[in-house]
Amino acid sequence: MATAGGSPAADLGSRRLLRLVSFCVLLAGFCRGNSVERKIYISLNKTAPCVRLLNATHQIGCQSSVSGDTGVIHVVEKEEDLQWVLTDGPNPPYVVLLEGTLFTRNLMEKLKGRTSRIAGLAVSLAKPSPTSGFSPSVQCPNDGFGIYSNSYGPEFAHCREIQWNPLGDGLAYEDFSFPIFLLEDENETKVIKQETFDYIGSSRMVYDMETGRFPVQLENIESFVELGQVALRNSLELWMHTDPMSQKNASVQHQVEALLSTLERSGAGVPAVALRRLNQSQPLPPSSLQRFLRARNISGVVLADHSTVFHNHYYQSVYDTAENINVSYPEWQSPEEDLNFVTNTAKALAAVATVLGRALYQLAGGTNFSDTIQADAHTVTRLLYGFLVRANNSWFQSILRQDLRSYLGDGPLQHYIAVSSPTNTTYVVQYALANLTGQLVDLTREQCQDPSKVPTENKDLYEYVWVQGPLNSSETDRLPRCVRSTARLARALSPAFELRQWGSTEYSTWTESRWKDIRARIFLIASRELEFITLTVGFGTLIFSLVVTYCINAKADVLFIAPREPGAVSY
């Protein structure tokens, strides 16, 4: 008899080798699993979601199911393609990928009527912007919350005299039961809001003035000058809008006349601006001045680039971008060169700012008026570039705190104004104002963060911020500094919530839905036909394998003859 065997050392080595191989296989399985996941799922990172908003009377916006919505993607390039989504397609629900030019109220009404077949909507930006214009706002912005009503100036109420935004289709004020995402792969553009929520900002400011919570009381305001839309002037004209109702008071009418004359004198030395008066029977456009006049008769004027309807054909839409106001840069320039490149739009806006600055100087009591008051076009062009083109630039970096650097992206800032919480843009505006209107003070970082310990400083009167500062001469380190200014943040929370007047028609009652996570992704699955074929083939293979295994097992004594055991052999 002969025997064969191995030593214990060899067994230990074999086990170690087996464990190593098993670990490698397991690691390879993890790597392969992640790779497969990346191949299946495509996350859509640059998206702008539609959210749910509510007020005392309406519910608008979009919503998804609690666990999200899933559907088959169907590309709609022309309106006829909707037939498949709405009726013909055999595998609803569908997620519609819609060309931006088709994103209109009429088409959305069709989708809204067949919500059982719609799981969601993804809208791609139209390139270039629609030539006919696009505005999802209403034709009479902030209707019902301005000065004009059925009891005060009824001839002007509800924009009976002028529909300020004739291209508005009200799409942003519709209610949809499915999620909607804007796809922003090519360009980071956002929805731009200008006091969208029924004058929520100015109404809060007036309320704080009336209740003694603002440094300036309402009765201390002698005149009011407001800048409206001023970037799309035809030729040189800048229109001065006033309120006809308040001017029925002789004293207010006299003050308004003095205010207009001051503006005209200030503009006389600025050849790039031609101030124009309007008929006194024309109402005010949507403006914060309306909320102040609603509380008290004061002299006021709104400066705008339009005499009647808006010149802006993309009011409150995703296409209200830098390109819309003709801001462009030579293609060969670097981002830093673009930041400091003075555009024609910047020059035109600087001219308007010059007129305004000279007028405010005189209205504040300045007597030795001269033409030395001049707005800096270089500063204006940097503001335009930072807010509308690229927030992550050297100037914005230098004026922010270090912990706010993440707010600056390679595209424009988010201009959507949340209902009650500050957004990235809010902080950048505050620090830009502090940089332009404040002053540098010689304080250490600790003193700047707690100026109450410095006898010569007043924390109640000023705001102190420790900013990153510019780069040094070698561009290796920054030169941080302390800026003292009067630029502060104030909550724009509607007084209706503080007064618990949930059904108020005096104040805005908009509130925003809450969410834990908003995201969208695309994943690949087989068609139902292929899934059925795969299941059938797999099931057939299983049955065949079972039959073969049974047959082999039944005939094992015939098919497999046991070999003769080696050992002693008889002779």
Side-chain angles (χ1 to χ4, degrees):
M1 174 181 285
T3 61
S7 68
D11 290 341
L12 180 60
S14 299
R15 286 196 294 271
R16 288 178 176 173
L17 178 61
L18 181 61
R19 290 172 183 171
L20 178 61
V21 171
S22 299
F23 175 75
C24 292
V25 170
L26 184 63
L27 183 61
F30 278 123
C31 295
R32 187 173 301 166
N34 292 335
S35 177
V36 170
E37 181 180 1
R38 287 195 298 269
K39 290 180 179 179
I40 294 176
Y41 295 100
I42 302 174
S43 296
L44 304 178
N45 297 319
K46 291 187 177 181
T47 60
C50 165
V51 298
R52 168 74 73 224
L53 297 171
L54 306 96
N55 69 358
T57 58
H58 290 81
Q59 172 178 289
I60 66 174
C62 318
Q63 73 173 28
S64 65
S65 304
V66 175
S67 57
D69 296 275
T70 303
V72 179
I73 292 180
H74 186 76
V75 179
V76 175
E77 296 179 329
K78 54 185 183 299
E79 194 163 346
E80 291 76 16
D81 296 339
L82 276 182
Q83 189 70 21
W84 180 268
V85 174
L86 300 178
T87 57
D88 297 346
N91 301 313
Y94 292 95
V95 174
V96 179
L97 178 55
L98 190 67
E99 289 290 333
T101 52
L102 297 177
F103 187 57
T104 62
R105 186 188 180 101
N106 290 336
L107 188 141
M108 291 301 296
E109 289 289 350
K110 295 179 180 179
L111 296 179
K112 189 176 180 180
R114 299 299 301 274
T115 54
S116 62
R117 294 180 62 88
I118 306 298
L121 179 68
V123 183
S124 62
L125 283 174
K127 293 292 182 179
S129 301
T131 55
S132 58
F134 172 74
S135 175
S137 185
V138 292
Q139 294 185 347
C140 187
N142 295 325
D143 185 25
F145 289 86
I147 185 176
Y148 307 117
S149 64
N150 292 331
S151 59
Y152 186 86
E155 66 271 29
F156 306 129
H158 311 301
C159 296
R160 291 192 178 102
E161 181 81 11
I162 300 174
Q163 292 288 340
W164 295 103
N165 186 34
L167 293 176
D169 61 7
L171 185 59
Y173 290 82
E174 287 294 318
D175 182 37
F176 298 98
S177 59
F178 49 82
I180 300 177
F181 281 85
L182 172 68
L183 304 181
E184 304 171 325
D185 288 339
E186 295 184 9
N187 190 20
E188 189 76 18
T189 53
K190 304 287 186 178
V191 178
I192 294 182
K193 304 281 183 178
Q194 301 159 338
E195 276 232 86
T196 299
F197 301 113
D198 299 330
Y199 298 120
I200 190 172
S202 51
S203 63
R204 178 71 200 201
M205 186 175 182
V206 172
Y207 175 78
D208 287 345
M209 287 181 170
E210 291 177 322
T211 55
R213 304 180 186 182
F214 197 80
V216 179
Q217 303 302 307
L218 192 60
E219 56 268 20
N220 298 133
I221 297 179
E222 179 179 327
S223 55
F224 193 107
V225 182
E226 180 176 351
L227 280 177
Q229 301 175 31
V230 295
L232 295 172
R233 287 187 293 143
N234 289 337
S235 66
L236 308 177
E237 294 176 333
L238 185 66
W239 298 91
M240 299 183 291
H241 296 260
T242 59
D243 170 49
M245 297 300 297
S246 59
Q247 291 187 72
K248 291 182 179 180
N249 180 298
S251 175
V252 173
Q253 197 278 332
H254 177 75
Q255 292 174 350
V256 170
E257 178 62 32
L259 179 58
L260 296 178
S261 298
T262 300
L263 284 165
E264 289 170 336
R265 288 196 303 272
S266 301
V270 184
V273 177
L275 288 159
R276 296 284 185 265
R277 296 195 183 200
L278 289 162
N279 193 313
Q280 287 191 1
S281 63
Q282 182 172 309
L284 279 172
S287 54
S288 297
L289 176 57
Q290 292 203 29
R291 289 301 304 192
F292 282 81
L293 288 172
R294 190 161 172 158
R296 180 173 175 266
N297 268 358
I298 57 176
S299 62
V301 60
V302 177
L303 301 178
D305 55 21
H306 55 90
S307 59
T308 53
V309 301
F310 294 163
H311 286 173
N312 185 1
H313 292 172
Y314 306 103
Y315 178 70
Q316 291 185 1
S317 83
V318 294
Y319 304 108
D320 196 358
T321 60
E323 291 80 5
N324 181 37
I325 59 173
N326 302 315
V327 173
S328 60
Y329 305 90
E331 295 182 358
W332 60 85
Q333 290 188 168
S334 66
E336 189 66 22
E337 290 173 326
D338 287 345
L339 171 65
N340 296 291
F341 179 77
V342 180
T343 63
N344 291 331
T345 301
K347 295 176 183 177
L349 290 175
V352 173
T354 298
V355 173
L356 181 62
R358 293 178 181 181
L360 293 177
Y361 174 80
Q362 294 183 74
L363 292 170
T367 53
N368 298 323
F369 174 73
S370 68
D371 293 342
T372 56
I373 299 177
Q374 186 77 35
D376 181 22
H378 182 251
T379 300
V380 175
T381 205
R382 294 205 296 178
L383 286 168
L384 288 173
Y385 183 81
F387 283 107
L388 300 181
V389 181
R390 184 186 177 94
N392 190 14
N393 59 75
S394 59
W395 184 46
F396 275 8
Q397 291 170 2
S398 68
I399 65 175
L400 289 182
R401 294 198 319 255
Q402 186 176 9
D403 60 307
L404 299 180
R405 288 180 303 174
S406 60
Y407 288 0
L408 303 180
D410 291 335
L413 284 164
Q414 166 67 275
H415 295 154
Y416 173 76
I417 302 301
V419 173
S420 62
S421 58
T423 61
N424 297 359
T425 306
T426 306
Y427 288 113
V428 177
V429 169
Q430 179 193 14
Y431 280 81
L433 287 173
N435 177 268
L436 296 172
T437 63
Q439 63 182 130
L440 297 177
V441 289
D442 187 17
L443 298 178
T444 65
R445 180 172 184 170
E446 291 71 23
Q447 291 173 328
C448 189
Q449 294 174 341
D450 188 11
S452 59
K453 297 179 179 179
V454 183
T456 57
E457 300 298 334
N458 190 333
K459 188 177 181 179
D460 296 327
L461 184 61
Y462 298 105
E463 187 82 1
Y464 297 80
V465 290
W466 185 259
V467 300
Q468 292 190 103
L471 292 170
N472 59 16
S473 57
S474 60
E475 298 188 353
T476 55
D477 296 304
R478 291 194 173 275
L479 304 173
R481 54 190 63 183
C482 185
V483 177
R484 182 182 67 192
S485 74
T486 55
R488 297 175 180 267
L489 290 181
R491 296 187 69 192
L493 186 65
S494 173
F497 301 130
E498 185 173 311
L499 299 172
R500 297 185 175 275
Q501 298 176 357
W502 316 119
S504 174
T505 57
E506 173 66 20
Y507 298 110
S508 163
T509 53
W510 287 109
T511 184
E512 193 172 37
S513 61
R514 299 181 63 183
W515 57 85
K516 292 183 178 179
D517 185 26
I518 297 182
R519 59 190 176 95
R521 64 180 182 177
I522 299 172
F523 58 93
L524 183 64
I525 61 173
S527 66
R528 290 189 177 180
E529 292 80 6
L530 182 57
E531 286 179 338
F532 178 77
I533 293 173
T534 303
L535 178 62
T536 303
V537 172
F539 187 73
T541 303
L542 174 63
I543 298 299
F544 177 75
S545 300
L546 291 175
V547 172
V548 171
T549 302
Y550 174 78
C551 293
I552 293 175
N553 187 61
K555 301 294 183 179
D557 56 336
V558 177
L559 297 174
F560 306 103
I561 301 175
R564 179 174 296 176
E565 183 177 350
V569 180
S570 57
Y571 296 92

